[in-house]
């Protein structure tokens, strides 16, 4: 058991593990691009990149709202930042995917925008209360 804990500590400190985990998000669009479908590959790349952008922008927006508009405590500000980050992660890819489907022919299968918005709101509320 102690050896397993040490292995997980070494994995946590590893510098190559995040690259291995994110490699499919970069390899799939590149393969699509090299098959001659450049617009479709760019659409997929934008879709995957929008997940990280949603987390970053949502978190920053939540912190700005909590400090400048609501003037809440630091704890509530962190929770609000996490909630907005979760919302951005769940909803921004839908908007980018819809754009990519309409303009780049990416053919990303999605449900309706309203359903995604509802689940993004529910996910944000869950993150707010769990953190």
């Amino acid at each position: 058991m102690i050896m397993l804990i040490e292995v997980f500590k070494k994995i946590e400190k590893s510098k190559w593990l995040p690259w291995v985990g994110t490699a499919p998000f970069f390899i799939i669009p590149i393969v699509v691009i090299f098959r001659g479908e450049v617009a479709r590959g760019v659409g997929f790349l934008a879709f995957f990149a929008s997940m990280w952008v949603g987390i970053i922008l949502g978190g920053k927006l939540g912190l700005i709202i909590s400090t400048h508009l609501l003037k809440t405590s630091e704890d509530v500000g962190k929770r609000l930042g996490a909630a907005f980050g979760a919302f951005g992660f769940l909803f921004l890819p839908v908007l980018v995917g819809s754009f990519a489907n309409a303009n780049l022919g990416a053919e990303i299968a999605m449900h309706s925008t309203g359903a995604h918005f509802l689940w993004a709101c529910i996910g944000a509320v869950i993150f707010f209360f769990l953190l």
Side-chain angles (χ1 to χ4, degrees):
M1 183 70 170
I2 295 173
M3 287 182 8
L4 187 61
I5 293 171
E6 290 178 18
V7 168
F8 283 128
K9 285 182 181 179
K10 287 181 183 178
I11 289 176
E12 181 182 5
K13 293 178 183 176
S14 174
K15 295 188 189 305
W16 60 268
L17 189 63
W19 288 104
V20 171
T22 58
F25 295 116
F26 296 110
I27 292 172
I28 291 171
I30 289 172
V31 168
V32 171
I33 288 171
F34 283 130
R35 285 188 187 164
E37 302 173 11
V38 176
R40 188 172 181 207
V42 169
F44 280 121
L45 189 61
F47 177 76
F48 291 135
S50 68
M51 294 176 195
W52 288 296
V53 172
I55 292 170
I56 294 167
L57 288 180
K60 296 291 182 189
L61 180 66
L63 290 175
I64 290 170
I65 288 174
S66 69
T67 56
H68 296 294
L69 294 178
L70 301 177
K71 297 184 179 165
T72 60
S73 67
E74 186 176 336
D75 180 50
V76 173
K78 287 181 182 178
R79 291 170 48 199
L80 196 61
F84 271 85
F87 180 82
F89 173 77
L90 293 172
F91 192 63
L92 187 62
V94 174
L95 298 178
V96 172
S98 296
F99 177 81
N101 285 344
N103 297 315
L104 301 174
E107 299 176 9
I108 300 170
M110 293 184 297
H111 294 287
S112 70
T113 307
H116 281 283
F117 181 77
L118 174 69
W119 284 108
C121 290
I122 291 171
V125 169
I126 289 170
F127 262 73
F128 182 79
F129 286 113
L130 284 181
L131 296 180

